[in-house]
Every structure is written in structure tokens, then in C-alpha cells.
Amino acid sequence: MARRETTLKLSVGSGLRLRWQVVFVLFATLFAASCAEIKQPQPEAFISKTKPPLKQEVRWSNGNTPKSFDPAKALAAPETDVVRAIYEGLTTLDPKTLDALPAVAESWSSEDGRVWTFRLRDGARWTNGKPVTAKNFVDSWKRLPALSPDATHRELFSNIKGLGDEAAKAAELSAGPAEKKTAALPSNLPEKSAAAPKPEERGENRAREDSHGESEKKTAATSAGVEAISDLELRVELMRPDPDFPKLVANPVFFPVYDKAAELDSTDAEPPEVSNGPFTVITSDKTGVVLERSKTYWNKNAVAPQRVVFVPHATADAALEAYKNGDIDVLTNAAFSPLALKLLAPYDDFRQTTHSAINLYEVNTNNKILADRRVREALAISIDRQKIAEGELDGSTSPATRFLPTESPDAAAGLVFDAERAKELLERSGFPDGENFPALRLVVNRNDAQQRIARTAARMWKQNLNIDVNVVPVETSEIEAVRAAGDYDLLRRGVVLPTTDEVVAMQTIFGTEKKMTSPEVPGGPLVQQPMPSPTPIPHLLTDPAASDQLPPVVAAQPYSQEAALYDLSAIPIYFPRSFALIKPYVTGFELNSLDAVVLTEVKIDPNWQPAASN
């Protein structure tokens, strides 16, 4: 019996030990598996491993070939990228902070922000060896009004005395009726017509225009606020103070051109014969644009790249394939799909930033219903911008609760989504639950993404306000004609903001003569002058009575973002984002909101090596 008990005890003890051994083995296996999982090789840091080139040559794909080399006509990439490389203005922008830095002007000063004096550096030269003088800037800037409407961003120079709307009007009158451009309305919208003048009236009008045009040209020429005090001193007089004027003149529209630069007027995108930037054009054809470091540039020893090659690609897929294959070093201005952006996001050579541009719906306040500000605010705050940005645009944009992009464009300020308040506003304006509210027309360009966004906004208005909005697509080329004729209730616009200056940015969106509309006088102007900047603006959401109040009329001020948010003659929807792929051996290529790349800061690191994989 004792032997059996001993055997039983041994048997039980062995079973327990076996169980603990099994548990230990299982635990060790799981621990080893987890360690193996932790130690698994990480995904590649870069999209493709490419050895750095041995020479200082930057190969850059920034869209198609440029349509013009004229700095006054450079609106966006690829034109602005090439123009910034071959020309140089008074100032340039720090690519990180966007502060003004010396360029052709080595210094500047102003006592009141209205009269500025720029001191040009003695060593600045054109490629023909001649010095860059203050007179070159005077002649180039006085050329701008005559280029309207071809000159981009007229609002940039409208504050300079003698270069604003009066000078542009004088230049238009001097061109004669035959040279004036007219736009035709889309066939699917009603066209307005006017009676033609009689022959004798045409003669009288032409004589009157000629006389008036000569008078205006003479006035503009004598009162222009741009003066060459000496070869190296430029004096600029503004109509109103602008403390950020040195930043403003870093825009390509203010770059000087040599003499009359007749070749820039060619429709074949002919490069300039003479320029003053860090690079010069060597060749330009359908295969791309090749630049070389200028031998006459004042700071040539600080420019690392010996050559910059702009490689055109018709599609984003073609450009991405070239980047993966190592055929290009930098890729910008590519219209990647939202899915492609998600796939690219994890890689270290992928960069993105909020672009200085806005997509908005302009409101036709001549429509009696939309002249009521409460209706406009109801439309504005019943749109869920976050859903549009994340749903229809897959996170490739930032929701615009204001008109100007900031570090936090989706911050809880401005036009926050509030369906209940929107319903209340619509009821106070006489349309409870949308009853008897007429159907609106939202005109958008014939683009799949824009039509999807518009239909989503229309569904939100139906769901939140019970009103109908019909989406009317037209060709992109017809949008401005529709806007000019006023044949819309809501109109989609995309606006590129060329500067961080708030006043100029707001003028870019709304024009220089924007006036605020009054809910008491539908469609009528509150003041017959530029909109005053009320202080303070009643908060749109925290003050329920704000929608029925008008801000106090104060001294005339430029139209501000706060005034625009109160007025709501346009509804901001989203800010686009800029994307870039930059090889890790390329240094100094900074992506910023203005797409203002400073190539003098860029260089190739031939010694770069990828980090060893674990």
C-alpha cells in the first residue's frame, strides 16, 4: 500500500511539473514571437533608394513646360519657379519664415510705412554685364498697368501711387476698343444683350475715349509713385501705409525686365535674352527648360547648383515613376489622387503644407433672398467642412473656417458647423424649416471633384435647412463670364493668395472696392467707400443677436478678414494643400505656403548615404 501511495505521489508530481513545463514553453514561444515582431525590419524610409549624383545638378519636375517667362504674367508653378530662378527683385523671402531678405536691394527704410526707399547693391548685374539700376525697376513697374488684364494679381501693385486702377484704365483706353477682350456666356445660361450705339455715337465715343485716354495716361505718367532718385536709390510712394511692403515686392510681378523685353510678349513662351537672376536659360523646348548658374550674378559664389533642369510631366503618375526611377530629384505641383497621397504619406521624402489658396462659394447678394445676411450665415454654418475635407477629399485639404490659411486652419474659430443655429437664422429671416425658400443655383466648373463637393454641400443644405440647391456645371473657361454677368446664386471660385499680407490677400479674393451689404437694405451698400474694419466684430456664434446687427461705421479701412466673416458675401469651403517629393540628398529645398522656392539655398549632398537597416 505504501508503495502504491508513493507511486501515486510521484505520478501527481510529474504531472504538475509537465504542466508547468508546457506553460513555460508556451510563454517562451509567445515572448519570442513578440520580440521577433518588435525586431522585424521597419518599412523603407524613402520611396526608392537612389545614389546622389556626383555633380551639382538639380532635376526638378514641377508640372508641364512654362507658358511664359514674363515675371509680370507668372501666376503659379511652373512659371513662378522658373521666373524666380532667372530673375531677382528688390527682396526675396526666407523660405522658412517668409520674412523679407535683401536681394537686389541691400537695404530699405520707411518712416511712415507709406514712402519707402530701397538702396540697390552696386554689384547687381544683368547677364549682358550692365548694372541693374533703379530706373530698370521704374520702367518695369510702369509696364504693369499696360499689361492688364494679362498681368497677374493687379491688387499687388494697386496701392502704389499711379499704378492702380486709374493707370490700368488709362492703359485700357489707350488700347482702343478693338483690343479689348470680351467674354461670352456659357450656352446653358441666359445671355444679356445691350443695344449697339449708332454710327455717329460710335465716332463721338471714340473721340471722347481717345481724348480721355491721353489725359489719363499723362496724369498716370506724372503722378506715378515710383521714382529713381539715383542709379542705386529707388523711392516708392504708396496710397496707404503698408508695413509689409518689403515682403510684397518679393513677388515675381515686381521683378525687373531688361529694356522693353519684347521677346516676353511672344505667344511661344520665348525665354528672355537678358535677365538678372542666379540662373540663365540655356535651352527651352518641349523636353524641358535647362538653366545654368549665371556668371554675372552678384552672389554667384554662394549658389551651389551649377545647373537646374526642369523636367515636364503631363501626369502625376508619370512624374512619380520618374522620381522612383531616380530620373528626377524633386517633384512638386503634381495632382496626386487622395489614395496616392495616403500611400505616399509614411515616407520621409514626402512633404506637405497648407497652400496659400482658398476654395469658396461666392454669394450673389443681388439676389433679394441672399441679400439678407442671416440667410448667408445660415448657408455658411450649415456646411460640415470637416466631412467634406475628410470624405470627398480624403484628407488632402484643410477645412476653411476663415478666409486666410493659418497654422491651424481648422481651429474652432470663425464659421463653425452649427445646424441648429442655421435653422434658427433661416426661421428669423422668414423661412421656417425652409418653407417657401426658392431653389438656388450653385455654378461650379466641370470637374469631377468640384461637382462631388458641390453635391455634398447641396445635400447638407437639404438635410440641415430643407432647401434645394441645384448644381450647375460649366466649363472652367466660362466661370469668369458667369461671374461678370451675375448669372448665379452661388459660384465656386478657387483663389491663389500671392502674399501673406492680409490686406492684399483679401483684395485678391474680393477686389479693391469691396463694400459691405446691409440686411436692412437688400443688396444695398452700407457705405460708398472701401469697407471699414469694425471693432469689435460680433462673434458669429456666441452672440445670437449678431446676425441682426450692423457693425459701427468707422474711418475707412481696407476690407479685413473679420469684416468678410461678418459680411459673408462668400462662403469659405477648404484650403488646398501642397505636396512634394524631395530626395534626401537634396538640402535647402523648403516647401512653404507660397510655393516660393529659393534655389540659391538648394544643393546636392554627394556624400549622403541611407541609414543602415536594422
Side-chain angles (χ1 to χ4, degrees):
M1 175 67 84
R3 184 179 301 171
R4 288 184 60 189
E5 289 179 355
T6 303
T7 304
L8 180 60
K9 289 178 181 179
L10 289 173
S11 176
V12 171
S14 300
L16 289 173
R17 283 196 300 274
L18 180 61
R19 290 177 187 173
W20 280 110
Q21 288 173 354
V22 171
V23 170
F24 177 80
V25 170
L26 287 173
F27 177 80
T29 302
L30 291 173
F31 180 79
S34 64
C35 290
E37 183 177 352
I38 293 173
K39 293 181 179 180
Q40 282 182 351
Q42 297 297 313
E44 293 293 339
F46 307 104
I47 292 175
S48 64
K49 291 183 178 180
T50 306
K51 292 182 179 180
L54 299 178
K55 54 185 178 180
Q56 288 293 330
E57 178 178 284
V58 179
R59 300 162 299 171
W60 181 1
S61 177
N62 65 342
N64 254 316
T65 53
K67 297 178 181 178
S68 173
F69 290 90
D70 191 339
K73 301 174 185 175
L75 177 63
E79 288 79 17
T80 49
D81 294 329
V82 178
V83 162
R84 283 192 174 98
I86 63 177
Y87 287 101
E88 186 172 71
L90 294 170
T91 63
T92 187
L93 295 175
D94 184 305
K96 293 182 178 180
T97 66
L98 296 179
D99 291 332
L101 298 175
V104 173
E106 60 184 6
S107 63
W108 51 87
S109 62
S110 177
E111 294 183 358
D112 57 3
R114 193 179 69 84
V115 179
W116 289 86
T117 302
F118 293 86
R119 177 73 185 179
L120 277 57
R121 59 181 75 250
D122 192 27
R125 292 289 185 272
W126 295 99
T127 50
N128 61 5
K130 294 185 177 182
V132 181
T133 67
K135 187 177 185 302
N136 294 139
F137 283 92
V138 172
D139 293 342
S140 298
W141 290 12
K142 285 185 176 180
R143 168 179 177 258
L144 297 177
L147 290 175
S148 298
D150 293 329
T152 62
H153 297 306
R154 278 178 49 190
E155 67 280 356
L156 291 177
F157 52 86
S158 64
N159 189 33
I160 300 175
K161 186 179 178 182
L163 297 185
D165 293 336
E166 289 185 1
K169 183 179 179 181
E172 183 181 357
L173 289 173
S174 66
E179 296 179 35
K180 296 178 183 177
K181 297 181 180 179
T182 57
L185 281 173
S187 58
N188 61 330
L189 291 175
E191 184 173 357
K192 297 179 180 180
S193 60
K198 298 177 182 179
E200 59 273 16
E201 292 176 343
R202 286 199 298 267
E204 292 175 2
N205 291 343
R206 179 60 183 271
R208 190 180 301 112
E209 286 181 353
D210 290 344
S211 173
H212 185 62
E214 290 300 321
S215 174
E216 292 241 13
K217 281 194 294 181
K218 184 177 181 180
T219 301
T222 56
S223 63
V226 188
E227 179 185 1
I229 299 175
S230 67
D231 284 348
L232 298 179
E233 200 168 11
L234 179 70
R235 180 180 179 275
V236 184
E237 183 178 354
L238 308 180
M239 291 186 287
R240 64 174 180 275
D242 184 358
D244 289 329
F245 189 66
K247 292 183 184 180
L248 186 64
V249 295
N251 188 278
V253 74
F254 293 104
F255 291 179
V257 295
Y258 186 76
D259 198 22
K260 298 185 183 299
E263 69 274 13
L264 296 179
D265 295 330
S266 171
T267 57
D268 298 328
E270 187 176 344
E273 297 177 1
V274 180
S275 58
N276 75 319
F279 297 91
T280 60
V281 180
I282 303 303
T283 61
S284 175
D285 53 36
K286 64 180 180 180
T287 65
V289 179
V290 179
L291 310 181
E292 282 190 356
R293 185 170 54 193
S294 174
K295 297 176 182 178
T296 59
Y297 182 58
W298 64 271
N299 199 24
K300 62 182 178 181
N301 293 332
V303 181
Q306 298 173 348
R307 177 173 287 202
V308 177
V309 182
F310 289 95
V311 185
H313 288 100
T315 65
D317 290 340
L320 180 58
E321 192 63 24
Y323 183 86
K324 288 181 178 179
N325 294 337
D327 297 331
I328 56 176
D329 310 304
V330 177
L331 195 169
T332 62
N333 195 35
F336 289 120
S337 67
L339 176 59
L341 293 173
K342 284 186 177 181
L343 296 176
L344 294 172
Y347 293 100
D348 291 346
D349 45 350
F350 178 75
R351 317 268 183 91
Q352 59 178 312
T353 186
T354 299
H355 186 40
S356 185
I358 185 171
N359 277 259
L360 52 82
Y361 291 156
E362 186 170 303
V363 183
N364 188 349
T365 54
N366 289 324
N367 178 322
K368 184 177 181 180
I369 300 298
L370 299 177
D372 190 329
R373 185 204 168 279
R374 296 167 298 188
V375 174
R376 300 198 297 273
E377 185 182 339
L379 291 170
I381 65 174
S382 56
I383 296 176
D384 190 336
R385 292 162 179 78
Q386 194 70 38
K387 280 188 177 180
I388 290 177
E390 294 178 356
E392 294 300 331
L393 298 168
D394 291 328
S396 61
T397 66
S398 302
T401 60
R402 303 173 69 82
F403 288 101
L404 302 181
T406 63
E407 290 298 321
S408 302
D410 56 345
L415 300 172
V416 180
F417 172 62
D418 191 338
E420 290 304 314
R421 174 170 167 77
K423 290 177 183 178
E424 178 188 346
L425 286 168
L426 202 64
E427 181 175 354
R428 293 217 306 264
S429 63
F431 302 98
D433 196 31
E435 185 179 349
N436 297 323
F437 195 94
L440 301 178
R441 294 179 306 158
L442 169 56
V443 179
V444 301
N445 49 311
R446 201 180 299 277
N447 171 285
D448 288 342
Q450 294 305 328
Q451 291 186 66
R452 288 201 317 271
I453 295 167
R455 286 193 292 267
T456 300
R459 285 196 297 270
M460 291 177 177
W461 284 322
K462 182 64 176 178
Q463 178 180 349
N464 298 323
L465 300 176
N466 194 30
I467 65 175
D468 294 316
V469 177
N470 300 319
V471 178
V472 181
V474 301
E475 298 300 329
T476 302
S477 59
E478 299 171 335
I479 287 287
E480 283 306 315
V482 173
R483 185 181 182 219
D487 288 312
Y488 65 94
D489 298 313
L490 301 164
L491 177 74
R492 183 264 170 186
R493 290 177 59 214
V495 183
V496 176
L497 307 175
T499 175
T500 56
D501 184 286
E502 177 181 346
V503 172
V504 175
M506 295 303 291
Q507 287 179 346
T508 303
I509 298 173
F510 294 102
T512 57
E513 297 299 324
K514 175 63 183 175
K515 301 178 183 67
M516 196 168 186
T517 56
S518 166
E520 280 76 22
V521 185
L526 177 64
V527 286
Q528 299 295 329
Q529 56 187 358
M531 173 56 208
S533 179
T535 305
I537 292 288
H539 194 283
L540 295 175
L541 303 180
T542 59
D543 185 357
S547 297
D548 297 323
Q549 296 175 353
L550 284 175
V553 178
V554 296
Q557 298 284 338
Y559 196 66
S560 67
Q561 177 169 220
E562 287 74 16
L565 283 170
Y566 186 90
D567 188 21
L568 285 176
S569 59
I571 301 172
I573 304 298
Y574 68 87
F575 298 117
R577 297 184 68 80
S578 293
F579 309 97
L581 288 167
I582 305 170
K583 293 289 185 181
Y585 52 75
V586 177
T587 64
F589 195 105
E590 297 290 339
L591 193 66
N592 53 59
S593 63
L594 293 179
D595 285 342
V597 177
V598 181
L599 279 173
T600 55
E601 301 292 323
V602 176
K603 63 176 62 176
I604 300 291
D605 180 5
N607 299 317
W608 178 86
Q609 293 292 333
S613 300
N614 293 325

